[in-house]
Amino acid sequence: MNLKHSKRNILKAILYPACLFSAVSAHALDPVGLGSHSASGGNITAMATLESYELQDLNGDGDTRDRILTLHDIDTGISTNTGIPMVGQLATDGTTIVFLFSERVDYVDLNGDSDTSDNVLAYYHIPSGQFYTTSVVPYLSAGQSGSLPHYNVDQNIITFV
């Protein structure tokens, strides 16, 4: 199978459920661009898998309300559930995946402000399989629902607007 054909099948697999959901749900509040749910770099595509769509608890917390970080290796065709719940959009350079992580998941104050209601900048290092949180809480304007609109990762540098 050539790479062009493989990418087309992946795109169909990602878009088809979204199109089906849109056709069934006429009362959607805000359209969400595909870019907010997936990011590619190198041979890895990172995406948010909706537990509610899969109808299963993918991170073992007893509910099906989360968006779980999933990795798909384009070369091998293998998808890996990291079990990490994520908030908002994601970005990757093929080695590191950046996204927001809610303090509410573990009810831990990650930024030292004495509450557990923030979304902090987090990242996942693909080669090591290690997940890291930071104490950085990007300022979000009203109406963003905890979603960071633009960020990027390039080697050891994470930038965001």
Side-chain angles (χ1 to χ4, degrees):
M1 177 182 297
N2 67 35
L3 187 57
K4 184 176 180 182
H5 186 327
S6 177
K7 285 183 180 178
R8 187 177 310 132
N9 286 342
I10 291 169
L11 187 58
K12 285 180 186 176
I14 293 170
L15 289 177
Y16 178 73
C19 293
L20 181 62
F21 180 76
S22 295
V24 174
S25 179
H27 63 280
L29 299 176
D30 294 314
V32 177
L34 183 60
S36 67
H37 291 289
S38 66
S40 294
N43 64 334
I44 298 293
T45 297
M47 63 193 102
T49 300
L50 304 173
E51 288 180 327
S52 59
Y53 179 77
E54 296 292 323
L55 300 175
Q56 59 181 318
D57 179 6
L58 299 173
N59 64 336
D61 68 350
D63 66 53
T64 57
R65 297 182 306 236
D66 304 306
R67 297 173 65 226
I68 304 300
L69 177 63
T70 304
L71 310 179
H72 180 78
D73 187 314
I74 295 169
D75 293 337
T76 65
I78 296 173
S79 292
T80 304
N81 167 17
T82 66
I84 301 168
M86 55 170 284
V87 177
Q89 301 182 21
L90 50 88
T92 185
D93 66 353
T95 302
T96 303
I97 303 164
V98 181
F99 52 94
L100 295 178
F101 180 79
S102 176
E103 291 178 326
R104 290 178 195 95
V105 170
D106 295 322
Y107 298 101
V108 174
D109 178 11
L110 297 170
N111 66 328
D113 68 349
S114 301
D115 68 44
T116 58
S117 62
D118 301 302
N119 293 327
V120 299
L121 198 61
Y123 60 98
Y124 181 87
H125 186 249
I126 298 167
S128 68
Q130 295 294 309
F131 167 62
Y132 303 91
T133 59
T134 71
S135 60
V136 176
V137 178
Y139 175 77
L140 303 171
S141 64
Q144 287 181 295
S145 302
S147 178
L148 194 58
H150 303 287
Y151 48 69
N152 193 16
V153 58
D154 185 13
Q155 295 179 4
N156 294 327
I157 305 292
I158 298 169
T159 57
F160 56 92
V161 176

